[in-house]
Amino acid sequence: MGGTFLEVLTERQRRRLIDLGRHVDYTAGANLANQAEPAPPVLILQSGYVKAQRTAQGDTPPMIVDLFGAGDVLGLEDCLIGWSSHLAHVATKPVRVLEIPQKTFRRFLQDNKQAMGAAAEALALRLRRRDIALGFAPAKIRSRLTAFLVRLQVVYGIPGEDCVVIDVGLNHADIASAIGASPASVNTEMVKLKNEGYLTTGYKTIHVKRQLREDGPPLFPAKEARSRRIPQMKPRRRELSRASVEARAV
């Protein structure tokens, strides 16, 4: 198949999704869904980035288990089995999502064999990437960090004149959470990578100057990093802003 979930769908199917849902805007730092939320809606990310977090116990800090970008489907696993949300979703950059009720989206997949296949492939690819990332858990911090940065570079990197820009809204604390390390140790390794000429950093951005190498099997087949593009889904009258959602909740 190839491509994101939306890219595989026909234009008619994309229009049908718009009719079934509504567009919602969120600011950076906003919660899109909470862990254990019953019957969470499916969110198709139109723009921006969202980190997925999970808390193991009530008194432990959440750990970042995944990152979503344009074209990704949030809450797909919960939708397919009809369960409550097993993750919390937080915007790391301003985002726009197409929000579709869980049961409505599941019926859409059941009525569209092609869409169901696209959803299954998207989910399989994401689970495969998570498994590969877990393989680095016993490695040293340097290996875990570079493997994580390589993944961000390949999946979400934007090619520049002399570097690849990673601009997904993550800070050092987020990166530490994603690789199971302390912010201080991540900061130390980032300084080493900068001193060795591999990268430079800005406000929640990383500019990769030289090819990073993860100390293990490659995460993906070698290919040039490129920005992701998804088909345009123009909002209709039912488009809602984040402000209107909050006002209605009050």
Side-chain angles (χ1 to χ4, degrees), residues 23-195:
H23 283 90
V24 186
D25 295 326
Y26 293 89
T27 59
N31 289 338
L32 283 68
N34 297 310
Q35 185 174 329
E37 180 178 331
V42 171
L43 305 175
I44 302 178
L45 193 53
Q46 304 289 285
S47 61
Y49 297 94
V50 174
K51 59 184 177 182
Q53 300 177 319
R54 180 169 176 83
T55 302
Q57 297 176 334
D59 58 347
T60 59
M63 180 175 183
I64 296 177
V65 298
D66 214 335
L67 183 72
F68 295 89
D72 289 330
V73 184
L74 287 66
L76 181 57
E77 305 99 310
D78 306 318
C79 174
L80 292 177
I81 58 179
W83 287 7
S84 61
S85 176
H86 71 297
L87 297 172
H89 293 118
V90 180
T92 62
K93 305 274 283 186
V95 302
R96 164 164 287 195
V97 300
L98 178 64
E99 178 184 291
I100 305 173
Q102 187 183 88
K103 291 183 178 180
T104 301
F105 189 78
R106 187 160 62 245
R107 285 196 298 268
F108 170 81
L109 294 180
Q110 293 169 346
D111 294 339
N112 294 271
K113 184 177 180 180
Q114 180 185 14
M116 178 65 83
E121 181 176 295
L123 181 57
L125 179 58
R126 184 159 296 278
L127 292 177
R128 178 183 171 89
R129 289 173 179 171
R130 287 184 187 175
D131 289 345
I132 293 173
L134 286 174
F136 288 93
K140 296 181 179 179
I141 293 176
R142 171 81 173 222
S143 296
R144 280 181 275 159
L145 175 60
T146 53
F148 182 70
L149 294 178
V150 165
R151 177 181 177 183
L152 293 182
Q153 177 184 347
V154 171
V155 180
Y156 302 117
I158 303 173
E161 292 184 1
D162 59 350
C163 66
V164 176
V165 181
I166 301 174
D167 184 14
V168 295
L170 298 180
N171 55 31
H172 285 189
D174 290 326
I175 296 174
S177 172
I179 67 173
S182 68
S185 60
V186 167
N187 184 65
T188 297
E189 293 302 327
M190 291 290 284
V191 170
K192 291 179 181 178
L193 289 172
K194 286 193 285 187
N195 291 338

Side-chain angles (χ1 to χ4, degrees), residues 160-242:
E161 292 184 1
D162 59 350
C163 66
V164 176
V165 181
I166 301 174
D167 184 14
V168 295
L170 298 180
N171 55 31
H172 285 189
D174 290 326
I175 296 174
S177 172
I179 67 173
S182 68
S185 60
V186 167
N187 184 65
T188 297
E189 293 302 327
M190 291 290 284
V191 170
K192 291 179 181 178
L193 289 172
K194 286 193 285 187
N195 291 338
E196 294 167 13
Y198 282 101
L199 52 82
T200 60
T201 59
Y203 178 68
K204 294 186 177 182
T205 60
I206 300 172
H207 297 72
V208 181
K209 300 287 188 176
R210 294 169 52 192
Q211 181 177 358
L212 291 167
R213 292 187 57 188
E214 71 282 358
D215 297 330
L219 294 179
F220 305 98
K223 64 179 181 180
E224 182 182 355
R226 61 183 180 86
S227 59
R228 305 175 76 194
R229 301 180 62 185
I230 62 172
Q232 292 297 316
M233 299 182 70
K234 296 181 180 180
R236 297 186 178 182
R237 291 184 177 180
R238 281 190 284 178
E239 177 183 348
L240 297 177
S241 66
R242 174 58 176 166

